[in-house]
Amino acid sequence: MLSGRKRSRHQQELAHEGSHPSSEANTLPEIQDALSKIDTGQDALIESSLTLQQQNAVIITLLDQLVALITPKEGQQEGPRLDELLARMIAQQTMIIDLSKRTVDSVTRIESFLKDPRLAADNLDGARPPC
């Protein structure tokens, strides 16, 4: 066993508290108070999460109403539906991005071709660069 000097301060306090039953009685109200605070905090979190769920439901309802306002009814529609238009726009943007990448790649290859003195000197007679 450890001697009194080699024990940590925490071990000494525990040993000292264990010998006095009144110290346990003092900690019981503290524990109950801490549990009460935890319960109050949990109740507040539950209430906050319920409020957030209600707000999300209201936002979704408002968005549905907004979409209903800007999109015509099924029989009154002239032309494609909104979701079809959005799909076409996304497809067009994808093609534009692909063409931009190809353009950058082609310009990079032409630039590297023009920077190479061997290739530029050999092709002064009007030969086209390899693209």
Side-chain angles (χ1 to χ4, degrees):
M1 288 241 134
L2 295 174
S3 68
R5 281 188 322 176
K6 292 188 178 182
R7 285 186 186 174
S8 71
R9 185 175 183 185
H10 181 67
Q11 290 172 333
Q12 289 175 358
E13 288 174 2
L14 288 176
H16 180 66
E17 287 178 6
S19 64
H20 298 291
S22 62
S23 65
E24 291 176 9
N26 290 338
T27 59
L28 185 60
E30 292 171 1
I31 292 172
Q32 289 173 337
D33 185 45
L35 288 175
S36 174
K37 288 178 183 178
I38 290 171
D39 286 342
T40 303
Q42 286 178 338
D43 291 342
L45 285 174
I46 290 170
E47 187 176 327
S48 296
S49 67
L50 291 174
T51 302
L52 285 174
Q53 288 175 350
Q54 291 170 347
Q55 289 175 349
N56 284 339
V58 169
I59 289 172
I60 289 171
T61 303
L62 290 172
L63 285 174
D64 287 341
Q65 291 174 356
L66 180 63
V67 168
L69 285 173
I70 63 172
T71 56
K73 304 295 181 236
E74 195 65 36
Q76 302 171 346
Q77 188 168 330
E78 297 177 14
R81 295 188 337 230
L82 181 61
D83 60 339
E84 292 172 356
L85 288 174
L86 290 173
R88 286 182 190 175
M89 288 174 54
I90 291 170
Q92 287 175 350
Q93 292 298 318
T94 303
M95 289 188 300
I96 289 171
I97 290 170
D98 186 49
L99 288 173
S100 297
K101 288 178 182 178
R102 288 182 184 183
T103 302
V104 168
D105 184 49
S106 296
V107 168
T108 304
R109 289 191 330 206
I110 290 171
E111 184 180 10
S112 66
F113 174 78
L114 293 175
K115 285 183 180 179
D116 189 353
R118 294 176 298 125
L119 296 174
D122 291 343
N123 290 308
L124 287 177
D125 58 12
R128 300 168 78 192
C131 291

